[in-house]
Amino acid sequence: MSEQSHNKHSAEHADEFDFTLHGHHSQEPRKRDSGLKRLESHAPPRPPVKSTLVMTLAVTTCLLAVTGIGLFAEYPLLLPSLAASTGLILGAPDTPLGQPRNVILGHTVSAVIGLALGLMFGAHPVAAAVAAGLAFGAMLLFRAAHTPGVATALVACLTGPEEPATFMVMLLFASLVLIAMGWLWHKALHTHYPVYWW
């Protein structure tokens, strides 16, 4: 098969699974109208049932994999922020927020900030709020914005892991697992991920 034919084949498959969070942004905006029509939603159309089922399965399997690794290692590996990362990796594969660099640096930088403020001020809501804000700013400075990282900073500050080094290693490992599984799923679905690795 020629490269041109392969690209055409991949594009056809990609169109079938064009269900991403922003996949329909190129649609023409609906014209404003009076009356009840103004209450109509301008959200993108509902994705096909097949795409919805496939993505539900993809997200579930990724999170089950992380959960299984955590159970095997006897460490609570599944964090709320990692679940949010999974949604970005699979549902918004061509946005900066879901790229490997952003996922890894976003969680790592945020966790460091959360742990630091937790050690200095304890598991206090005010410290956690400051940690979350600082984490977001730090991610921007590192050119690695990843919104779930804000939640990671909160968790790190409020829970105060007894072994911070272990927490960091397991968080990094879980991030890598999600990226790898996301890559495999997109490969199977003939959708492009990642846009860039680093």
Side-chain angles (χ1 to χ4, degrees), residues 68-81:
I69 294 171
L71 291 173
F72 179 79
E74 297 183 349
Y75 193 89
L77 196 57
L78 184 63
L79 302 177
S81 54

Side-chain angles (χ1 to χ4, degrees), residues 121-133:
F121 304 106
H124 195 282
V126 173
V130 173

Side-chain angles (χ1 to χ4, degrees), residues 97-113:
L97 295 176
Q99 303 310 307
R101 170 191 172 88
N102 297 60
V103 175
I104 294 169
L105 282 181
H107 283 301
T108 302
V109 170
S110 298
V112 169
I113 293 174

Side-chain angles (χ1 to χ4, degrees), residues 20-140:
T20 55
L21 301 179
H22 57 287
H24 302 277
H25 67 354
S26 60
Q27 284 191 321
E28 292 292 330
R30 298 179 183 178
K31 295 181 179 179
R32 293 183 177 275
D33 202 350
S34 58
L36 294 177
K37 287 189 176 181
R38 290 187 178 181
L39 299 177
E40 292 181 356
S41 173
H42 293 275
R46 185 178 292 106
V49 174
K50 180 180 178 181
S51 298
T52 301
L53 292 175
V54 168
M55 290 311 297
T56 300
L57 178 63
V59 171
T60 303
T61 54
C62 288
L63 295 178
L64 284 175
V66 172
T67 302
I69 294 171
L71 291 173
F72 179 79
E74 297 183 349
Y75 193 89
L77 196 57
L78 184 63
L79 302 177
S81 54
L82 291 176
S85 295
T86 308
L88 288 173
I89 292 170
L90 291 167
D94 56 349
T95 64
L97 295 176
Q99 303 310 307
R101 170 191 172 88
N102 297 60
V103 175
I104 294 169
L105 282 181
H107 283 301
T108 302
V109 170
S110 298
V112 169
I113 293 174
L115 289 172
L117 267 70
L119 289 173
M120 288 188 290
F121 304 106
H124 195 282
V126 173
V130 173
L134 291 176
F136 187 73
M139 286 187 283
L140 295 178

